[in-house]
């Protein structure tokens, strides 16, 4: 982040085309890299570790148990609403 800010300061204060041509792309790349690092940290902070995920065998066992269990309430009719008066 510091490199990006330094490059933008150089871009705003320089009168040299060479310094502008070098500092502008470097500053943009540094800024994009900083944003991607923030996004990566955010994603890794909310993701589950692999040890807490179910294996394919466990998933198959859970789906088989769910298919074998009958529905608790059965089929219910939709509720009828009275029209407004």
């Amino acid at each position: 982040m510091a490199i990006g800010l330094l490059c933008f300061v150089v871009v705003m204060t320089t009168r040299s085309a060479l310094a502008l041509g070098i500092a502008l792309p470097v500053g943009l790349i540094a800024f994009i890299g900083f944003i991607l690092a923030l996004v990566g940290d955010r994603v890794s902070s909310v993701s589950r570790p692999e040890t807490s995920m179910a294996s394919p065998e466990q998933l198959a066992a859970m789906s088989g148990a769910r298919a074998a269990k009958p529905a608790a309430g059965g089929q219910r009719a939709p509720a009828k609403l009275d029209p407004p008066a």
Side-chain angles (χ1 to χ4, degrees):
M1 170 125 177
I3 293 172
L5 287 175
L6 178 66
C7 286
F8 286 124
V9 167
V10 168
V11 166
M12 295 297 171
T13 59
T14 189
R15 295 181 190 264
S16 168
L18 179 64
L20 179 67
I22 292 173
L24 188 61
V26 171
L28 289 174
I29 291 170
F31 181 69
I32 291 170
F34 174 70
I35 296 298
L36 289 176
L38 285 178
V39 169
D41 287 343
R42 174 73 177 165
V43 168
S44 67
S45 71
V46 296
S47 64
R48 293 187 299 173
E50 292 217 13
T51 56
S52 69
M53 294 186 188
S55 68
E57 294 83 19
Q58 291 170 333
L59 290 173
M62 286 187 274
S63 66
R66 183 177 29 192
K69 184 191 292 187
Q75 292 285 340
R76 293 194 297 181
K80 293 183 181 179
L81 299 175
D82 293 330

